[in-house]
Amino acid sequence: MDTENQTGVSEFLLLGFSEDPELQPLLFVLFLSMYLVSVLGNLLIILTVTYDSRLHTPMYYFLSHLSFSDICVNSSVVPKVVVNIQTASRAITYEGCITQMFFSSAFVCLDNLLLSVMAYDRFVAICHPLHYTIMMNKHLCGLLVLVSWFASVLVCLLHSLMVLHLSFCTHTEIAHFFCELTEVLKSACSDALSNYVILYSAVGLLAVVPLFGIIFSYSRIISSILKMSSVEGRYKAFSTCGSHLTVISLFYGTGLGVYLSSAFPSSSSMGTVASVIYSMVIPMLNPFIYSLRNRDMKRALKKLFSRSFFSL
């Protein structure tokens, strides 16, 4: 197969969804609605945490960063999908594809690291309650968030720079609805072995290691909860962890689907569905999961809405 230098590739074609014209209006309304709900819900979480001084704790500090990351994940993917559906176009420029790949990968990676940091926070709060305020001080919380941001940006920048050195065939098609890293690598005509080595090394370091940390944290948390004599104390501890466990299960379950599908070409449809869930559905559900299952959040939201209503 003849190949050209990557500078000769002006655009990619995204083939992630059905070409049936009757489905396009439905997909447009569905994705636009999910995007608006996600952005508004996560913005509301950030405003509530910022506004209510009782929520100025490590758990909600991490949650506000997770909400911001979810907005960015959505915004790096959904607007282009909606525009392409509306204009009946599947094209994305080479520069736009690389940019989308970097930002979507970076914020998904940030989501992953923040979820592990939140698991550690719950571990300290439940297993070492007397030392919680000392261990989870402002400096440590800020450092954990800073390291999460730095690691996410650095690793995904490395991936993006390595992709710039790949060659692509003309009329390159990507069997996805956005420029997901593994799908972009599949479309390369030059040897991408080094890219895959770096990719799966990064997955092992920034996904598998935090996942084992989460599993360890929650095994200790569950053990501590079961030892509590108070039924009310058990219920309160489970309720504070239930939301986080739900999000973790959804996030890692769909993330595993994406990377398993990348190893098996016949599973591309599974990868597309999994990507829809982690890039659109989970960011939309997070505000509901964290607010509806959390008394402090519900109380703060009611206070915020009542103040806003009376100020009009």
Side-chain angles (χ1 to χ4, degrees), residues 115-135:
L115 287 173
S116 63
V117 167
M118 293 171 74
Y120 174 71
D121 172 71
R122 291 300 83 204
F123 162 72
V124 176
I126 293 174
C127 298
H128 304 282
L130 298 179
H131 300 93
Y132 179 71
T133 54
I134 297 174
M135 295 176 67

Side-chain angles (χ1 to χ4, degrees), residues 74-228:
N74 246 260
S75 298
S76 65
V77 174
V78 183
K80 181 59 179 175
V81 173
V82 171
V83 169
N84 279 8
I85 293 175
Q86 179 65 19
T87 59
S89 169
R90 294 176 179 269
I92 183 171
T93 63
Y94 174 80
E95 294 80 6
C97 185
I98 300 299
T99 302
Q100 185 184 65
M101 182 187 69
F102 167 72
F103 282 105
S104 60
S105 300
F107 287 111
V108 167
C109 183
L110 179 60
D111 266 10
N112 165 64
L113 293 177
L114 288 174
L115 287 173
S116 63
V117 167
M118 293 171 74
Y120 174 71
D121 172 71
R122 291 300 83 204
F123 162 72
V124 176
I126 293 174
C127 298
H128 304 282
L130 298 179
H131 300 93
Y132 179 71
T133 54
I134 297 174
M135 295 176 67
M136 297 304 295
N137 56 69
K138 291 183 178 180
H139 296 293
L140 178 61
C141 292
L143 180 62
L144 289 172
V145 170
L146 182 62
V147 169
S148 298
W149 273 92
F150 180 77
S152 302
V153 171
L154 183 64
V155 169
C156 293
L157 182 61
L158 174 62
H159 288 315
S160 300
L161 293 175
M162 291 184 69
V163 169
L164 290 175
H165 290 85
L166 294 176
S167 297
F168 295 92
C169 304
T170 56
H171 309 296
T172 300
E173 296 180 347
I174 297 177
H176 215 289
F177 62 92
F178 75 103
C179 289
E180 202 272 330
L181 177 58
T182 57
E183 295 298 329
V184 173
L185 294 181
K186 285 181 185 179
S187 67
C189 293
S190 58
D191 183 18
L193 177 60
S194 59
N195 296 73
Y196 280 110
V197 170
I198 296 297
L199 171 62
Y200 287 104
S201 298
V203 169
L205 180 63
L206 298 181
V208 177
V209 172
L211 178 58
F212 278 110
I214 290 171
I215 293 172
F216 171 78
S217 296
Y218 272 98
S219 64
R220 296 292 302 274
I221 288 171
I222 292 172
S223 176
S224 296
I225 291 175
L226 293 177
K227 292 178 182 178
M228 293 180 180

Side-chain angles (χ1 to χ4, degrees), residues 44-78:
L44 188 59
I45 293 289
I46 295 171
L47 288 174
T48 304
V49 172
T50 303
Y51 170 77
D52 197 318
S53 59
R54 290 176 298 182
L55 300 183
H56 292 176
T57 63
M59 181 174 72
Y60 296 108
Y61 173 71
F62 297 136
L63 177 58
S64 63
H65 279 273
L66 181 68
S67 294
F68 178 77
S69 181
D70 282 341
I71 292 173
C72 294
V73 170
N74 246 260
S75 298
S76 65
V77 174
V78 183

Side-chain angles (χ1 to χ4, degrees), residues 24 39 100 217 232 235 252 287 294:
Q24 302 310 304
V39 171
Q100 185 184 65
S217 296
E232 184 180 350
Y235 174 78
Y252 278 98
N294 187 296

